[in-house]
Amino acid sequence: MRIAVLFSVAAFAALVVQTSVMHLLGVVTLVPDLLLVLAVNLGLRHHNMVAAILAFALGYATDAFSGTRIGLNSLLVTLVFLLCYETSRHLWVNNDAVGAAAVFLAVVFKDFGTLLLSGAGGDLRLHAGRILAQIFARALLTACLT
C-alpha cells in the first residue's frame, strides 16, 4: 500500500512538471516523459499486481491531462511496464545505467507507437529527419534525468 501512495504522489508531481511547469517556462518540444520513468521503475523493481495497476494508471493520467486519444498512452505505458517487467525477471538488472538505457528505449518505443497508432505515419515519411531527431533528443533528455 505504501508503494501506491508513494508513486501516486510522484506521479502527481511529474504530471504538474510535465504538463504545466515546462510549458510555462516556454519549453514545448523537448518535454521529458517523467511518468514513463516511473513506469520503467515499476517494471524493473516492483513485481506485483499493484505495480501493474499503477503503470496503467500512469498512462491513463497522461491521457487525461495531455488531451490525446484516451487509451493510447495507457496502452503504451502498460506495454513498456510489461517489457521492463519481463526483462527484469529474466535478466539481472539492478543498475542505474540499465535503468537509464531502459528509459531511453521506452521513450523511443512510446513515441514511435504514438506516431503509428495515432495515424501520423504519413508525417513520419514526410519529415522523418526532424521527427527522429526530436524523438531521440527527448529520449536522451529523459534518460539523463533518470
Side-chain angles (χ1 to χ4, degrees):
M1 187 63 180
R2 187 174 61 182
I3 186 173
V5 173
L6 177 67
F7 272 88
S8 298
V9 170
F12 178 75
L15 268 173
V16 168
V17 169
Q18 190 172 320
T19 60
S20 300
V21 174
M22 297 300 274
H23 293 286
L24 288 175
L25 294 175
V27 179
V28 179
T29 57
L30 285 178
V31 177
D33 198 345
L34 302 174
L35 290 173
L36 200 60
V37 173
L38 294 173
V40 168
N41 187 350
L42 283 170
L44 291 178
R45 293 194 171 95
H46 304 284
H47 302 142
N48 55 22
M49 184 59 75
V50 173
I53 293 169
L54 284 171
F56 176 79
L58 289 172
Y60 196 77
T62 305
D63 283 334
F65 283 94
S66 68
T68 60
R69 296 179 186 178
I70 299 295
L72 183 62
N73 285 315
S74 302
L75 171 70
L76 292 172
V77 170
T78 305
L79 284 176
V80 164
F81 166 79
L82 290 173
L83 288 171
C84 291
Y85 170 74
E86 283 299 319
T87 302
S88 70
R89 280 192 57 206
H90 298 292
L91 299 173
W92 185 37
V93 287
N94 196 11
N95 190 335
D96 291 337
V98 172
V103 167
F104 180 84
L105 293 173
V107 172
V108 170
F109 174 79
K110 183 177 173 248
D111 286 351
F112 275 121
T114 301
L115 279 174
L116 295 175
L117 292 177
S118 66
D123 291 342
L124 183 61
R125 286 181 296 185
L126 293 175
H127 308 289
R130 183 176 55 87
I131 292 174
L132 289 175
Q134 285 181 349
I135 288 174
F136 286 118
R138 181 177 175 192
L140 185 63
L141 174 66
T142 306
C144 288
L145 290 176
T146 301

